[in-house]
Amino acid sequence: MKVVIVGGVAGGATAAARIRRLDEEAQIVVFERSGHISYANCGLPYYIGGAIGDPAALTLQTPESFYARFRVDMRVLHEVTALHPERKTVSVKDLTTGESFEEPYDKLILSPGARPTQPKLPGVGLGRVFTLRTVEDTLRIKEHIRRERPRSAVLAGGGFIGLELAENLRELGLEVTIVQRPRQLMSPFDPDMAAFLHSQVRSHGIGLALGRTVEGFREREGGVDVLLKDEPSLHADMVVLAIGVTPDTALARAAGLELGVKGAIVVNDRMETSAPHIYAVGDAVQVKHYVTGEDTVIALAGPANKQGRIAADNVCGGDSRYPGSQGSSVIKIFEMTAASTGVNETHARQLGLDVDKVLLSPMSHAGYYPGGQVMTMKVVFEKGTFRLLGAQIVGYEGVDKRIDVLAAAIHAGLKATELKDLDLAYAPPYSSAKDPVNMAGYMIDNLARGVVKQFHAEDIPALPRDGSVTLLDVRTPAEYGRGRVEGFRNIPVDALRERLGELEAGRPVYVMCQSGLRSYIACRILAGHGFETYNLSGGFRCCEAAASDRRLIQRCAPCGMDQ
Ligand code: FAD
């Protein structure tokens, strides 16, 4: 059997190695357009910033090492220029010699990845307007910084790559501004969680110009003007365009393969395309969302690797199936970690799901052991069925571990109430006897049993201020003095039993504290005395973060910057 693979990085290299492990006799040829195989895309921003010092660390394998281990013919600087499914060949151009030839296959695997999305705007393609996808792109940016010593950069786009680059350029001492049309960074996060990301990014001196539409780029005075709709332009010494990626499927389109969302290649769960003997994997393919069942595109390394393995199994006569992607992801933002899995509340509501959520602020490990830090966790689930839909966590230590537990719970089809039952490892330096994931489960279980009812930050403006309900803040007077929500009166939780007489009997009480824990206790005290109570999810902490974020976004100076 002869297998030809297009693309020699995440999906393609995985498929090649797996095929060899399953079939010692197969002839395997990989064509890779760039000069490198199996390189660490995910490490590229950290090489630019210097955290990864040795460029050799980015290339996990060379064609020679791959051949030595797997006897795979890895041909770099070879571009596949056309597919011919009818005669089972591909046209290939040797980019070194310019020579073209046709290569036959028995099975073909496409793993061409995605390209940085390049809008049709004036100035895209200017020398100082970069994109980042390959090792070559990285070296180009690195060399530009070494040679030109830019002092400022604008990142157009605030997703994973934009944020990672912003951090790394900032670490190099550049003035950095992120500009983008959405009013928040990182679309996998809901606005309430993104507020914490914004605050972190701003605290490191990165300017955010959110809600701004880039209309083009113009070279001026050795730098670039970033032209904005209805706003004065931004000026920087260099620009990186990172507004997302587009599946690289021109070959598949020209060959008549079925395409779907964003032009991605349609595959079945065996990674088979609409053309016989042709498989496709990675950023180029359309996948089913594991939680929603929607057709979507999820460009992440984990799915690409899994799909490469599945395609290889099936090429070798097996029957492996891809269950879908749930978009689990994690990002470092300076010393902070932000992670998400499944769908967020915003998206779930757009799909018409009946959504509920809990917001909590647990410690990363036992409070009495030094070094614990607060994380903010949001778990989204379906009302009534308690089906887990997604989770987002922002914090420091231990965020990655909790998101992976939640990702596994979603994959396993656990109900949100069952999070309380997970038997998770505990010792003081690592967690608490009530792990944050268990805590989310306890809270959801309380909702399910009617032990507590909650209200959310977005409900606060509509709460009556006419005395028909009681609005109560149970933090200490000092906390209350530092900041409060208008209309909420202060009775500290520990004084509540003695001061019950100050509350009007028969009126519902809406209770808040800093994080939602003391207010929960207060709700239970009040319920024990006959009051109908509602607990503010996430507490004042989340309200304050969201409110100050909104103020900062609205207060942006005309230059589009806020610090
Ligand atoms: P790729 O790994 O991109 O490989 C495709 C290869 O195909 C390319 O090398 C390309 O040159 C080659 N090719 C395309 N067309 C042809 C052709 N016609 N002929 C020959 N060769 C061709 N994901 C994460 O999960 N976590 C992260 O932290 C993360 N960080 C990232 C950071 C950056 C800067 C980038 C760019 C991506 C990051 N990703 C991350 C995404 C991840 O790298 C991709 O999801 C993954 O590499 C996709 O694998 P793939 O095989 O589909 O495509």
Side-chain angles (χ1 to χ4, degrees), residues 29-73:
V29 183
V30 179
F31 293 111
E32 168 53 52
R33 180 169 57 196
S34 76
H36 303 271
I37 58 152
S38 207
Y39 55 82
N41 309 41
C42 312
L44 301 179
Y46 300 98
Y47 175 64
I48 292 171
I52 299 174
D54 180 3
L58 297 173
T59 41
L60 310 175
Q61 293 271 4
T62 61
E64 295 73 28
S65 68
F66 213 90
Y67 183 79
R69 178 69 49 89
F70 298 110
R71 294 294 188 273
V72 168
D73 185 4

mmCIF file of all heavy atoms in Angstrom, residues 29-73:
data_model
loop_
_atom_site.group_PDB
_atom_site.id
_atom_site.type_symbol
_atom_site.label_atom_id
_atom_site.label_comp_id
_atom_site.label_asym_id
_atom_site.label_seq_id
_atom_site.Cartn_x
_atom_site.Cartn_y
_atom_site.Cartn_z
ATOM 1 N N VAL A 29 4.713 8.563 1.823
ATOM 2 C CA VAL A 29 5.379 9.768 1.321
ATOM 3 C C VAL A 29 4.616 10.980 1.855
ATOM 4 O O VAL A 29 3.388 11.047 1.721
ATOM 5 C CB VAL A 29 5.371 9.820 -0.225
ATOM 6 C CG1 VAL A 29 6.132 11.058 -0.720
ATOM 7 C CG2 VAL A 29 5.959 8.559 -0.818
ATOM 8 N N VAL A 30 5.334 11.905 2.477
ATOM 9 C CA VAL A 30 4.707 13.129 2.991
ATOM 10 C C VAL A 30 5.260 14.320 2.218
ATOM 11 O O VAL A 30 6.482 14.482 2.110
ATOM 12 C CB VAL A 30 4.993 13.317 4.500
ATOM 13 C CG1 VAL A 30 4.354 14.609 5.007
ATOM 14 C CG2 VAL A 30 4.483 12.133 5.308
ATOM 15 N N PHE A 31 4.362 15.146 1.682
ATOM 16 C CA PHE A 31 4.787 16.374 1.017
ATOM 17 C C PHE A 31 4.489 17.558 1.935
ATOM 18 O O PHE A 31 3.360 17.724 2.402
ATOM 19 C CB PHE A 31 4.052 16.563 -0.316
ATOM 20 C CG PHE A 31 4.445 15.529 -1.334
ATOM 21 C CD1 PHE A 31 3.541 14.557 -1.746
ATOM 22 C CD2 PHE A 31 5.730 15.510 -1.866
ATOM 23 C CE1 PHE A 31 3.903 13.607 -2.676
ATOM 24 C CE2 PHE A 31 6.104 14.555 -2.795
ATOM 25 C CZ PHE A 31 5.195 13.598 -3.203
ATOM 26 N N GLU A 32 5.515 18.341 2.212
ATOM 27 C CA GLU A 32 5.371 19.498 3.097
ATOM 28 C C GLU A 32 5.914 20.730 2.369
ATOM 29 O O GLU A 32 7.072 20.766 1.973
ATOM 30 C CB GLU A 32 6.126 19.238 4.403
ATOM 31 C CG GLU A 32 6.298 20.450 5.299
ATOM 32 C CD GLU A 32 5.015 21.204 5.626
ATOM 33 O OE1 GLU A 32 4.043 20.568 6.073
ATOM 34 O OE2 GLU A 32 4.969 22.443 5.402
ATOM 35 N N ARG A 33 5.013 21.718 2.261
ATOM 36 C CA ARG A 33 5.350 22.929 1.500
ATOM 37 C C ARG A 33 6.471 23.742 2.165
ATOM 38 O O ARG A 33 7.339 24.286 1.495
ATOM 39 C CB ARG A 33 4.076 23.762 1.402
ATOM 40 C CG ARG A 33 4.190 25.050 0.660
ATOM 41 C CD ARG A 33 2.812 25.624 0.407
ATOM 42 N NE ARG A 33 2.064 25.820 1.643
ATOM 43 C CZ ARG A 33 0.749 26.012 1.690
ATOM 44 N NH1 ARG A 33 0.024 26.019 0.591
ATOM 45 N NH2 ARG A 33 0.148 26.197 2.822
ATOM 46 N N SER A 34 6.442 23.817 3.476
ATOM 47 C CA SER A 34 7.457 24.624 4.173
ATOM 48 C C SER A 34 8.761 23.839 4.261
ATOM 49 O O SER A 34 8.849 22.702 3.799
ATOM 50 C CB SER A 34 6.968 24.990 5.579
ATOM 51 O OG SER A 34 7.086 23.865 6.429
ATOM 52 N N GLY A 35 9.743 24.434 4.903
ATOM 53 C CA GLY A 35 11.042 23.777 5.009
ATOM 54 C C GLY A 35 11.166 22.888 6.232
ATOM 55 O O GLY A 35 12.249 22.361 6.504
ATOM 56 N N HIS A 36 10.077 22.721 6.975
ATOM 57 C CA HIS A 36 10.165 21.988 8.240
ATOM 58 C C HIS A 36 8.999 21.025 8.382
ATOM 59 O O HIS A 36 7.906 21.293 7.903
ATOM 60 C CB HIS A 36 10.140 22.955 9.430
ATOM 61 C CG HIS A 36 11.228 23.976 9.358
ATOM 62 N ND1 HIS A 36 12.470 23.787 9.885
ATOM 63 C CD2 HIS A 36 11.250 25.203 8.770
ATOM 64 C CE1 HIS A 36 13.222 24.851 9.649
ATOM 65 N NE2 HIS A 36 12.499 25.720 8.967
ATOM 66 N N ILE A 37 9.250 19.920 9.098
ATOM 67 C CA ILE A 37 8.140 19.010 9.419
ATOM 68 C C ILE A 37 7.944 19.019 10.929
ATOM 69 O O ILE A 37 8.837 19.415 11.680
ATOM 70 C CB ILE A 37 8.439 17.565 8.963
ATOM 71 C CG1 ILE A 37 9.725 17.046 9.628
ATOM 72 C CG2 ILE A 37 8.514 17.488 7.451
ATOM 73 C CD1 ILE A 37 9.752 15.558 9.790
ATOM 74 N N SER A 38 6.797 18.561 11.328
ATOM 75 C CA SER A 38 6.529 18.274 12.733
ATOM 76 C C SER A 38 7.007 19.391 13.657
ATOM 77 O O SER A 38 7.568 19.137 14.709
ATOM 78 C CB SER A 38 7.256 16.966 13.100
ATOM 79 O OG SER A 38 6.590 16.334 14.144
ATOM 80 N N TYR A 39 6.773 20.628 13.253
ATOM 81 C CA TYR A 39 7.255 21.725 14.098
ATOM 82 C C TYR A 39 6.186 22.123 15.110
ATOM 83 O O TYR A 39 5.018 21.777 14.984
ATOM 84 C CB TYR A 39 7.720 22.925 13.266
ATOM 85 C CG TYR A 39 6.714 23.483 12.290
ATOM 86 C CD1 TYR A 39 5.725 24.350 12.691
ATOM 87 C CD2 TYR A 39 6.784 23.131 10.939
ATOM 88 C CE1 TYR A 39 4.816 24.863 11.778
ATOM 89 C CE2 TYR A 39 5.875 23.635 10.023
ATOM 90 C CZ TYR A 39 4.892 24.502 10.450
ATOM 91 O OH TYR A 39 3.991 24.999 9.554
ATOM 92 N N ALA A 40 6.653 22.835 16.129
ATOM 93 C CA ALA A 40 5.782 23.149 17.264
ATOM 94 C C ALA A 40 5.115 24.500 17.056
ATOM 95 O O ALA A 40 5.544 25.497 17.626
ATOM 96 C CB ALA A 40 6.610 23.137 18.540
ATOM 97 N N ASN A 41 4.041 24.514 16.243
ATOM 98 C CA ASN A 41 3.328 25.796 16.005
ATOM 99 C C ASN A 41 3.053 26.505 17.327
ATOM 100 O O ASN A 41 3.192 27.709 17.440
ATOM 101 C CB ASN A 41 1.938 25.591 15.393
ATOM 102 C CG ASN A 41 1.927 24.720 14.185
ATOM 103 O OD1 ASN A 41 2.618 23.722 14.161
ATOM 104 N ND2 ASN A 41 1.151 25.089 13.189
ATOM 105 N N CYS A 42 2.645 25.681 18.302
ATOM 106 C CA CYS A 42 2.174 26.264 19.557
ATOM 107 C C CYS A 42 3.312 26.942 20.317
ATOM 108 O O CYS A 42 3.063 27.752 21.204
ATOM 109 C CB CYS A 42 1.513 25.186 20.411
ATOM 110 S SG CYS A 42 0.335 24.192 19.463
ATOM 111 N N GLY A 43 4.554 26.627 19.970
ATOM 112 C CA GLY A 43 5.687 27.246 20.650
ATOM 113 C C GLY A 43 6.188 28.498 19.952
ATOM 114 O O GLY A 43 7.034 29.223 20.503
ATOM 115 N N LEU A 44 5.655 28.778 18.749
ATOM 116 C CA LEU A 44 6.238 29.863 17.949
ATOM 117 C C LEU A 44 6.225 31.228 18.664
ATOM 118 O O LEU A 44 7.243 31.923 18.670
ATOM 119 C CB LEU A 44 5.538 29.959 16.586
ATOM 120 C CG LEU A 44 5.598 28.680 15.711
ATOM 121 C CD1 LEU A 44 4.854 28.891 14.394
ATOM 122 C CD2 LEU A 44 7.036 28.246 15.454
ATOM 123 N N PRO A 45 5.099 31.632 19.310
ATOM 124 C CA PRO A 45 5.116 32.944 19.969
ATOM 125 C C PRO A 45 6.183 33.022 21.057
ATOM 126 O O PRO A 45 6.748 34.090 21.300
ATOM 127 C CB PRO A 45 3.713 33.048 20.585
ATOM 128 C CG PRO A 45 2.863 32.098 19.799
ATOM 129 C CD PRO A 45 3.774 30.976 19.400
ATOM 130 N N TYR A 46 6.473 31.882 21.702
ATOM 131 C CA TYR A 46 7.425 31.894 22.822
ATOM 132 C C TYR A 46 8.865 31.954 22.333
ATOM 133 O O TYR A 46 9.755 32.362 23.073
ATOM 134 C CB TYR A 46 7.177 30.670 23.729
ATOM 135 C CG TYR A 46 5.774 30.724 24.270
ATOM 136 C CD1 TYR A 46 4.750 29.990 23.681
ATOM 137 C CD2 TYR A 46 5.456 31.594 25.306
ATOM 138 C CE1 TYR A 46 3.446 30.098 24.129
ATOM 139 C CE2 TYR A 46 4.155 31.711 25.766
ATOM 140 C CZ TYR A 46 3.149 30.963 25.167
ATOM 141 O OH TYR A 46 1.872 31.097 25.617
ATOM 142 N N TYR A 47 9.090 31.576 21.092
ATOM 143 C CA TYR A 47 10.422 31.772 20.507
ATOM 144 C C TYR A 47 10.603 33.260 20.195
ATOM 145 O O TYR A 47 11.667 33.844 20.439
ATOM 146 C CB TYR A 47 10.580 30.915 19.244
ATOM 147 C CG TYR A 47 11.898 31.169 18.545
ATOM 148 C CD1 TYR A 47 13.113 30.868 19.155
ATOM 149 C CD2 TYR A 47 11.926 31.760 17.279
ATOM 150 C CE1 TYR A 47 14.326 31.132 18.529
ATOM 151 C CE2 TYR A 47 13.133 32.025 16.648
ATOM 152 C CZ TYR A 47 14.327 31.706 17.278
ATOM 153 O OH TYR A 47 15.517 31.978 16.663
ATOM 154 N N ILE A 48 9.546 33.885 19.700
ATOM 155 C CA ILE A 48 9.638 35.323 19.412
ATOM 156 C C ILE A 48 9.942 36.102 20.690
ATOM 157 O O ILE A 48 10.772 36.992 20.717
ATOM 158 C CB ILE A 48 8.329 35.820 18.738
ATOM 159 C CG1 ILE A 48 8.232 35.205 17.337
ATOM 160 C CG2 ILE A 48 8.272 37.344 18.689
ATOM 161 C CD1 ILE A 48 6.915 35.434 16.635
ATOM 162 N N GLY A 49 9.286 35.721 21.790
ATOM 163 C CA GLY A 49 9.486 36.436 23.055
ATOM 164 C C GLY A 49 10.757 36.034 23.782
ATOM 165 O O GLY A 49 11.165 36.708 24.726
ATOM 166 N N GLY A 50 11.348 34.914 23.407
ATOM 167 C CA GLY A 50 12.605 34.511 24.031
ATOM 168 C C GLY A 50 12.471 33.433 25.095
ATOM 169 O O GLY A 50 13.470 32.928 25.594
ATOM 170 N N ALA A 51 11.233 33.069 25.465
ATOM 171 C CA ALA A 51 11.070 32.011 26.473
ATOM 172 C C ALA A 51 11.650 30.696 25.948
ATOM 173 O O ALA A 51 12.185 29.890 26.703
ATOM 174 C CB ALA A 51 9.595 31.834 26.835
ATOM 175 N N ILE A 52 11.502 30.476 24.637
ATOM 176 C CA ILE A 52 12.190 29.353 23.996
ATOM 177 C C ILE A 52 13.382 29.970 23.258
ATOM 178 O O ILE A 52 13.208 30.770 22.335
ATOM 179 C CB ILE A 52 11.268 28.624 22.991
ATOM 180 C CG1 ILE A 52 10.052 28.056 23.729
ATOM 181 C CG2 ILE A 52 12.023 27.524 22.239
ATOM 182 C CD1 ILE A 52 9.002 27.448 22.819
ATOM 183 N N GLY A 53 14.597 29.619 23.713
ATOM 184 C CA GLY A 53 15.775 30.304 23.185
ATOM 185 C C GLY A 53 16.350 29.665 21.934
ATOM 186 O O GLY A 53 16.885 30.356 21.065
ATOM 187 N N ASP A 54 16.215 28.356 21.831
ATOM 188 C CA ASP A 54 16.900 27.638 20.759
ATOM 189 C C ASP A 54 15.904 27.309 19.647
ATOM 190 O O ASP A 54 14.961 26.541 19.875
ATOM 191 C CB ASP A 54 17.492 26.345 21.352
ATOM 192 C CG ASP A 54 18.218 25.525 20.300
ATOM 193 O OD1 ASP A 54 18.307 25.985 19.146
ATOM 194 O OD2 ASP A 54 18.682 24.421 20.651
ATOM 195 N N PRO A 55 16.090 27.852 18.431
ATOM 196 C CA PRO A 55 15.117 27.572 17.370
ATOM 197 C C PRO A 55 15.012 26.077 17.067
ATOM 198 O O PRO A 55 13.963 25.606 16.611
ATOM 199 C CB PRO A 55 15.657 28.343 16.162
ATOM 200 C CG PRO A 55 17.062 28.704 16.488
ATOM 201 C CD PRO A 55 17.184 28.720 17.974
ATOM 202 N N ALA A 56 16.084 25.332 17.360
ATOM 203 C CA ALA A 56 16.038 23.884 17.098
ATOM 204 C C ALA A 56 14.950 23.219 17.937
ATOM 205 O O ALA A 56 14.413 22.167 17.554
ATOM 206 C CB ALA A 56 17.394 23.264 17.394
ATOM 207 N N ALA A 57 14.623 23.848 19.087
ATOM 208 C CA ALA A 57 13.595 23.257 19.957
ATOM 209 C C ALA A 57 12.223 23.277 19.290
ATOM 210 O O ALA A 57 11.318 22.537 19.688
ATOM 211 C CB ALA A 57 13.538 24.013 21.277
ATOM 212 N N LEU A 58 12.051 24.130 18.281
ATOM 213 C CA LEU A 58 10.740 24.241 17.628
ATOM 214 C C LEU A 58 10.489 23.109 16.638
ATOM 215 O O LEU A 58 9.353 22.787 16.321
ATOM 216 C CB LEU A 58 10.630 25.569 16.874
ATOM 217 C CG LEU A 58 10.700 26.832 17.735
ATOM 218 C CD1 LEU A 58 10.745 28.050 16.851
ATOM 219 C CD2 LEU A 58 9.506 26.884 18.684
ATOM 220 N N THR A 59 11.550 22.556 16.129
ATOM 221 C CA THR A 59 11.376 21.477 15.146
ATOM 222 C C THR A 59 11.619 20.155 15.860
ATOM 223 O O THR A 59 12.742 19.813 16.213
ATOM 224 C CB THR A 59 12.345 21.651 13.958
ATOM 225 O OG1 THR A 59 13.605 22.070 14.456
ATOM 226 C CG2 THR A 59 11.834 22.692 13.001
ATOM 227 N N LEU A 60 10.520 19.468 16.102
ATOM 228 C CA LEU A 60 10.572 18.274 16.942
ATOM 229 C C LEU A 60 11.245 17.122 16.206
ATOM 230 O O LEU A 60 11.787 16.216 16.815
ATOM 231 C CB LEU A 60 9.146 17.867 17.359
ATOM 232 C CG LEU A 60 8.299 19.007 17.933
ATOM 233 C CD1 LEU A 60 6.877 18.551 18.199
ATOM 234 C CD2 LEU A 60 8.929 19.545 19.207
ATOM 235 N N GLN A 61 11.165 17.154 14.873
ATOM 236 C CA GLN A 61 11.756 16.108 14.042
ATOM 237 C C GLN A 61 12.336 16.778 12.802
ATOM 238 O O GLN A 61 11.883 17.852 12.402
ATOM 239 C CB GLN A 61 10.661 15.138 13.561
ATOM 240 C CG GLN A 61 10.019 14.312 14.648
ATOM 241 C CD GLN A 61 10.749 13.002 14.911
ATOM 242 O OE1 GLN A 61 11.806 12.731 14.330
ATOM 243 N NE2 GLN A 61 10.210 12.199 15.794
ATOM 244 N N THR A 62 13.293 16.117 12.191
ATOM 245 C CA THR A 62 13.761 16.537 10.866
ATOM 246 C C THR A 62 13.365 15.424 9.894
ATOM 247 O O THR A 62 13.068 14.301 10.326
ATOM 248 C CB THR A 62 15.295 16.675 10.845
ATOM 249 O OG1 THR A 62 15.853 15.380 11.141
ATOM 250 C CG2 THR A 62 15.773 17.703 11.848
ATOM 251 N N PRO A 63 13.385 15.709 8.579
ATOM 252 C CA PRO A 63 13.092 14.626 7.633
ATOM 253 C C PRO A 63 14.016 13.427 7.867
ATOM 254 O O PRO A 63 13.587 12.276 7.790
ATOM 255 C CB PRO A 63 13.345 15.278 6.272
ATOM 256 C CG PRO A 63 13.070 16.727 6.502
ATOM 257 C CD PRO A 63 13.526 17.004 7.900
ATOM 258 N N GLU A 64 15.266 13.707 8.240
ATOM 259 C CA GLU A 64 16.233 12.618 8.447
ATOM 260 C C GLU A 64 15.859 11.801 9.685
ATOM 261 O O GLU A 64 15.867 10.571 9.650
ATOM 262 C CB GLU A 64 17.662 13.182 8.613
ATOM 263 C CG GLU A 64 18.217 13.869 7.367
ATOM 264 C CD GLU A 64 17.580 15.241 7.091
ATOM 265 O OE1 GLU A 64 17.139 15.914 8.043
ATOM 266 O OE2 GLU A 64 17.494 15.632 5.903
ATOM 267 N N SER A 65 15.551 12.487 10.796
ATOM 268 C CA SER A 65 15.233 11.736 12.021
ATOM 269 C C SER A 65 13.931 10.958 11.833
ATOM 270 O O SER A 65 13.787 9.834 12.321
ATOM 271 C CB SER A 65 15.132 12.681 13.226
ATOM 272 O OG SER A 65 14.003 13.521 13.100
ATOM 273 N N PHE A 66 12.993 11.544 11.099
ATOM 274 C CA PHE A 66 11.716 10.857 10.859
ATOM 275 C C PHE A 66 11.944 9.609 10.003
ATOM 276 O O PHE A 66 11.359 8.560 10.226
ATOM 277 C CB PHE A 66 10.731 11.812 10.172
ATOM 278 C CG PHE A 66 9.301 11.573 10.565
ATOM 279 C CD1 PHE A 66 8.742 12.234 11.646
ATOM 280 C CD2 PHE A 66 8.508 10.676 9.863
ATOM 281 C CE1 PHE A 66 7.419 12.018 12.010
ATOM 282 C CE2 PHE A 66 7.196 10.445 10.216
ATOM 283 C CZ PHE A 66 6.650 11.119 11.300
ATOM 284 N N TYR A 67 12.834 9.774 9.022
ATOM 285 C CA TYR A 67 13.128 8.625 8.160
ATOM 286 C C TYR A 67 13.835 7.530 8.972
ATOM 287 O O TYR A 67 13.513 6.338 8.869
ATOM 288 C CB TYR A 67 13.994 9.042 6.961
ATOM 289 C CG TYR A 67 14.251 7.878 6.033
ATOM 290 C CD1 TYR A 67 13.272 7.469 5.127
ATOM 291 C CD2 TYR A 67 15.431 7.144 6.105
ATOM 292 C CE1 TYR A 67 13.464 6.371 4.312
ATOM 293 C CE2 TYR A 67 15.634 6.041 5.290
ATOM 294 C CZ TYR A 67 14.648 5.656 4.396
ATOM 295 O OH TYR A 67 14.834 4.554 3.598
ATOM 296 N N ALA A 68 14.788 7.949 9.810
ATOM 297 C CA ALA A 68 15.542 6.966 10.592
ATOM 298 C C ALA A 68 14.616 6.153 11.481
ATOM 299 O O ALA A 68 14.750 4.927 11.601
ATOM 300 C CB ALA A 68 16.590 7.685 11.440
ATOM 301 N N ARG A 69 13.645 6.819 12.105
ATOM 302 C CA ARG A 69 12.757 6.121 13.033
ATOM 303 C C ARG A 69 11.621 5.383 12.313
ATOM 304 O O ARG A 69 11.257 4.276 12.679
ATOM 305 C CB ARG A 69 12.175 7.164 14.021
ATOM 306 C CG ARG A 69 11.192 6.673 15.038
ATOM 307 C CD ARG A 69 11.776 5.776 16.119
ATOM 308 N NE ARG A 69 12.978 6.271 16.764
ATOM 309 C CZ ARG A 69 13.010 7.066 17.854
ATOM 310 N NH1 ARG A 69 11.879 7.452 18.403
ATOM 311 N NH2 ARG A 69 14.153 7.457 18.375
ATOM 312 N N PHE A 70 11.036 6.039 11.304
ATOM 313 C CA PHE A 70 9.790 5.500 10.727
ATOM 314 C C PHE A 70 9.892 5.075 9.269
ATOM 315 O O PHE A 70 8.915 4.562 8.712
ATOM 316 C CB PHE A 70 8.670 6.550 10.854
ATOM 317 C CG PHE A 70 8.342 6.916 12.268
ATOM 318 C CD1 PHE A 70 8.658 8.172 12.775
ATOM 319 C CD2 PHE A 70 7.722 6.005 13.113
ATOM 320 C CE1 PHE A 70 8.357 8.515 14.083
ATOM 321 C CE2 PHE A 70 7.410 6.348 14.425
ATOM 322 C CZ PHE A 70 7.735 7.599 14.914
ATOM 323 N N ARG A 71 11.069 5.330 8.641
ATOM 324 C CA ARG A 71 11.195 5.029 7.208
ATOM 325 C C ARG A 71 10.041 5.679 6.421
ATOM 326 O O ARG A 71 9.386 5.042 5.590
ATOM 327 C CB ARG A 71 11.208 3.514 6.954
ATOM 328 C CG ARG A 71 12.431 2.813 7.524
ATOM 329 C CD ARG A 71 13.720 3.275 6.806
ATOM 330 N NE ARG A 71 14.854 2.482 7.212
ATOM 331 C CZ ARG A 71 15.641 2.720 8.279
ATOM 332 N NH1 ARG A 71 15.406 3.785 9.054
ATOM 333 N NH2 ARG A 71 16.651 1.947 8.566
ATOM 334 N N VAL A 72 9.806 6.950 6.726
ATOM 335 C CA VAL A 72 8.810 7.734 5.985
ATOM 336 C C VAL A 72 9.577 8.727 5.113
ATOM 337 O O VAL A 72 10.506 9.385 5.579
ATOM 338 C CB VAL A 72 7.858 8.476 6.943
ATOM 339 C CG1 VAL A 72 7.028 9.515 6.197
ATOM 340 C CG2 VAL A 72 6.945 7.482 7.656
ATOM 341 N N ASP A 73 9.164 8.821 3.874
ATOM 342 C CA ASP A 73 9.813 9.718 2.919
ATOM 343 C C ASP A 73 9.207 11.119 3.097
ATOM 344 O O ASP A 73 8.151 11.418 2.558
ATOM 345 C CB ASP A 73 9.541 9.144 1.514
ATOM 346 C CG ASP A 73 10.259 9.918 0.432
ATOM 347 O OD1 ASP A 73 11.021 10.837 0.768
ATOM 348 O OD2 ASP A 73 10.045 9.588 -0.757
#
